[in-house]
Amino acid sequence: MGKPSDLSSSAFSVVTIHQYRVLYEKCVQLINSEWPRSYNARLRSLEASRDTLPTSMVVIKNTDSINETTSVLAHARLSPVPSDSSAVFIESVVVDRRFRGQGLGKLLMTEVEKHCFSALHLKTIFLSTIDQDGFYIKLGYQFCKAINMFGTHCALNNSTKKIWLRKSVM
Ligand code: ACO
């Protein structure tokens, strides 16, 4: 599928979920379509979103008004790293299967990075993935050692199959 020609013409917006609580349900459905988990657990996670971390950011299809029928097409969660107040951990990045390969993942991550580096003045984004490292490499992320969210680099985490990547502010 090619890139939608309207991607650059305000067909989509990237917003924080807590601005539009009416989108919670659609967002839970999107995340659970990739990683099924209890509805309430997902909801609690979204309800924790705020301007400072943690924050859930979503791509929505622009419509005249945002309501419970608005499509939520992509999601990313920005979590604090307790051991490093200048860093953020990005997780649960997912694009609606029907819209993959059309630039929405890149759009979301670009806005996530602006929010982290420009609005929150953070210095480093960390994330881990099992098999999507190619996507993040394309976006300029670099391989790094596993981080222990609560301490220093941790050999224990290196034993898992996760691949760790980072991007630092320019
Ligand atoms: N390997 C290499 N390149 C890739 C990959 C990949 N797996 N996925 C996308 N790309 C490239 C695209 O070709 C494109 O390149 P271009 O700019 O040269 O055209 C660029 O990356 C941007 O691609 P998008 O179309 O924006 O990516 P998409 O919208 O499909 O989103 C995503 C990518 C989020 C990985 C999506 O496939 C998805 O939701 N996958 C399932 C859930 C998942 O595994 N999420 C990642 C979990 S890790 C985490 O949460 C930190």
Side-chain angles (χ1 to χ4, degrees), residues 32-150:
N32 273 354
S33 71
E34 189 69 31
W35 302 292
R37 196 176 161 196
S38 94
Y39 179 87
N40 285 338
R42 290 287 181 215
L43 189 61
R44 274 198 300 277
S45 169
L46 293 180
E47 285 174 342
S49 178
R50 53 182 190 264
D51 285 343
T52 52
L53 304 175
T55 311
S56 281
M57 295 180 68
V58 292
V59 176
I60 58 171
K61 196 162 187 177
N62 284 337
T63 49
D64 289 340
S65 66
I66 295 174
N67 56 46
E68 59 281 349
T69 68
T70 300
S71 296
V72 176
L73 303 177
H75 166 271
R77 180 172 166 86
L78 292 51
S79 294
V81 176
S83 58
D84 183 352
S85 60
S86 70
V88 59
F89 181 65
I90 308 289
E91 55 192 328
S92 301
V93 178
V94 58
V95 172
D96 183 318
R97 286 167 200 274
R98 295 166 294 180
F99 287 82
R100 288 179 193 168
Q102 301 181 47
L104 288 187
K106 185 176 179 178
L107 172 72
L108 175 62
M109 290 305 295
T110 301
E111 293 304 314
V112 162
E113 288 166 19
K114 274 190 212 161
H115 185 72
C116 291
F117 294 144
S118 301
L120 299 180
H121 303 292
L122 297 169
K123 304 284 183 222
T124 310
I125 293 174
F126 288 103
L127 56 84
S128 67
T129 177
I130 295 169
D131 58 4
Q132 296 295 339
D133 45 308
F135 169 65
Y136 297 107
I137 292 292
K138 197 108 201 210
L139 300 185
Y141 287 73
Q142 296 182 321
F143 294 114
C144 68
K145 287 183 186 168
I147 61 156
N148 178 337
M149 294 285 279
F150 298 95

